[in-house]
Amino acid sequence: MGDSKVNQEFRINSSFKGIGFAWMLFLSFVTSASAQYHEALYEMYFVRQPSARVEAMGRGSVALNQYGYSSLYNPALPANETASGIDFGHSGPMYMLKNAEFFFFSGYYKITPKIVCGISNYRIYYNNDEQVVDPEGNVLGSFERVPYITTFSFAANVFPHLYVGMNINRVWDGFRKNVPKSVHIPYIEEESKAYPMDIGALYKMTIGVDDCLQFGANFANIARSELKYKNGIDKLPQFFSVGSSYQASWNPVKIHSEFMTGIELTGMEIISIRAGYYRQRLDDLGSAENLDVMNSRTWGLGLQLPFWAFTSVPIVIRVDYASLPQQRYTHEDIFEFKNFRTINIGMTFVGH
């Protein structure tokens, strides 16, 4: 079978109101969103997406299912998944931190045909240890900042066409220490945690036999949670996103598209080729040398291996890959960075 989805999203700085527009084939939608972008864990929320498929398709996914990554983009999406599954993701490097690595893990389970719960963990290892030395210059140990976000999600199909969901997140920011207990360094002993909540909704309309139209909305960090430290407060991002997706079916190709915008071509339900484009508002920090808008084309590949089709093992193995340039934040190319690479490996349990 073939599919076609159009999903559109636009996140905008709180000082700017805007409308995003995208189209595919004969169908077009208009979407808009407002956001408050703060610096706390900016690299995890906006610099890198844990899903290679989302990176390849323009970074928007509020109305497009993403398996174990779904709850990150809309807490209601997991209820639209057809089976239980697990997912692993890895990405790196990050600009001048050539050894930085992002890791993601998730597991989601269909309690009933209409109710899904899940858990995921997303973290970054900067792999840039700083040394602790005594006044004589002797190395006593090292420390490294290792923030992470753990998400507990719950989603349900509450009416024939309506899905709702909620995330409870645990955001932790602190240091991994390798120093003797006798060494007291207040800076690296401080840690902070917060519990932001997200809510989402999805409306799904079936058109004909296999076609469907979906509208999604996500409100992240509804209570404006903050990371509190002894010397100050870091506000976590808060944003509202809306989007739509359209799926049309025919043999033997699938087409999906997104805005921030993207397209996916899938042949034989096995191999996927993806491309996209996004435009993202930036804080130029009041400097004429910095960009206030980032835009980029994106691309990637996907592979699905349906073991259930030729063995007695009821699973589908999924592999997604994206290798993309790291976009600059200044008008001049001061540094040349290598592409970042994101790879995901997932498993869906057919019939669960």
Side-chain angles (χ1 to χ4, degrees):
M1 295 295 295
D3 269 335
S4 144
K5 291 183 182 175
V6 182
N7 198 25
Q8 306 162 12
E9 230 177 299
F10 201 12
R11 294 176 182 168
I12 304 160
N13 189 284
S14 58
S15 63
F16 178 82
K17 299 288 184 180
I19 291 179
F21 175 81
W23 62 270
M24 182 196 166
L25 299 179
F26 54 89
L27 189 63
S28 63
F29 300 94
V30 176
T31 65
S32 65
S34 64
Q36 295 184 6
Y37 289 159
H38 300 292
E39 293 300 320
L41 304 186
Y42 186 87
E43 61 272 32
M44 299 186 73
Y45 282 96
F46 304 115
V47 172
R48 191 66 47 82
Q49 300 296 315
S51 168
R53 186 170 181 238
V54 172
E55 285 282 13
M57 296 178 66
R59 293 190 161 190
S61 193
V62 73
L64 182 62
N65 288 39
Q66 297 293 343
Y67 303 102
Y69 307 89
S70 292
S71 63
L72 300 182
Y73 304 102
N74 183 345
L77 280 174
N80 198 28
E81 296 290 346
T82 58
S84 305
I86 56 176
D87 284 273
F88 302 88
H90 174 269
S91 182
M94 184 179 69
Y95 294 100
M96 298 187 71
L97 297 177
K98 297 181 180 179
N99 296 319
E101 298 177 287
F102 294 80
F103 288 94
F104 178 86
F105 166 77
S106 76
Y108 55 100
Y109 181 73
K110 288 188 74 71
I111 301 173
T112 73
K114 294 187 177 183
I115 300 175
V116 176
C117 65
I119 183 173
S120 67
N121 183 270
Y122 183 38
R123 64 180 61 211
I124 178 173
Y125 291 98
Y126 297 95
N127 293 324
N128 187 35
D129 291 7
E130 297 188 42
Q131 293 184 334
V132 179
V133 298
D134 62 17
E136 287 74 37
N138 299 313
V139 178
L140 301 178
S142 62
F143 64 92
E144 179 190 12
R145 184 182 173 215
V146 185
Y148 66 79
I149 303 171
T150 299
T151 300
F152 301 91
S153 61
F154 179 85
N157 179 198
V158 293
F159 294 110
H161 302 287
L162 181 64
Y163 304 77
V164 297
M166 179 177 69
N167 293 341
I168 300 176
N169 305 284
R170 184 181 190 270
V171 179
W172 185 88
D173 187 23
F175 294 89
R176 182 174 59 181
K177 301 174 284 289
N178 182 24
V179 295
K181 292 183 179 180
S182 58
V183 177
H184 179 63
I185 306 175
Y187 170 69
I188 67 172
E189 291 177 2
E190 185 177 5
E191 63 180 50
S192 181
K193 55 184 176 289
Y195 296 90
M197 296 177 60
D198 317 320
I199 57 174
L202 182 76
Y203 186 78
K204 181 177 181 179
M205 300 168 53
T206 301
I207 302 172
V209 179
D210 297 311
D211 297 7
C212 71
L213 175 63
Q214 296 184 168
F215 298 93
N218 173 38
F219 191 179
N221 192 12
I222 59 176
R224 296 188 178 183
S225 295
E226 304 168 330
L227 290 171
K228 298 180 179 179
Y229 304 90
K230 292 180 181 179
N231 297 321
I233 293 175
D234 278 348
K235 295 182 179 180
L236 292 169
Q238 181 186 57
F239 52 87
F240 176 75
S241 306
V242 294
S244 55
S245 71
Y246 178 77
Q247 175 176 329
S249 303
W250 61 89
N251 264 327
V253 177
K254 284 185 180 179
I255 301 178
H256 304 234
S257 102
E258 281 217 32
F259 191 69
M260 303 172 161
T261 196
I263 186 169
E264 178 183 74
L265 302 177
T266 301
M268 307 296 292
E269 301 284 343
I270 295 177
I271 300 175
S272 299
I273 301 173
R274 300 164 183 141
Y277 172 85
Y278 69 88
R279 179 181 173 87
Q280 180 178 332
R281 183 87 174 172
L282 301 176
D283 182 357
D284 62 9
L285 303 176
S287 172
E289 296 180 357
N290 296 333
L291 294 171
D292 59 2
V293 172
M294 175 189 294
N295 55 76
S296 176
R297 297 181 180 89
T298 59
W299 54 87
L301 300 170
L303 180 68
Q304 295 190 81
L305 301 176
F307 281 84
W308 61 268
F310 48 86
T311 72
S312 59
V313 181
I315 63 172
V316 176
I317 301 293
R318 295 174 278 101
V319 180
D320 297 300
Y321 178 78
S323 177
L324 300 170
Q326 301 193 77
Q327 300 301 315
R328 68 181 191 271
Y329 284 76
T330 59
H331 288 282
E332 295 185 10
D333 274 326
I334 302 175
F335 302 102
E336 185 174 338
F337 300 106
K338 293 183 179 179
N339 282 17
F340 75 85
R341 296 169 299 279
T342 299
I343 184 168
N344 303 149
I345 300 175
M347 182 183 301
T348 301
F349 302 97
V350 179
H352 290 267

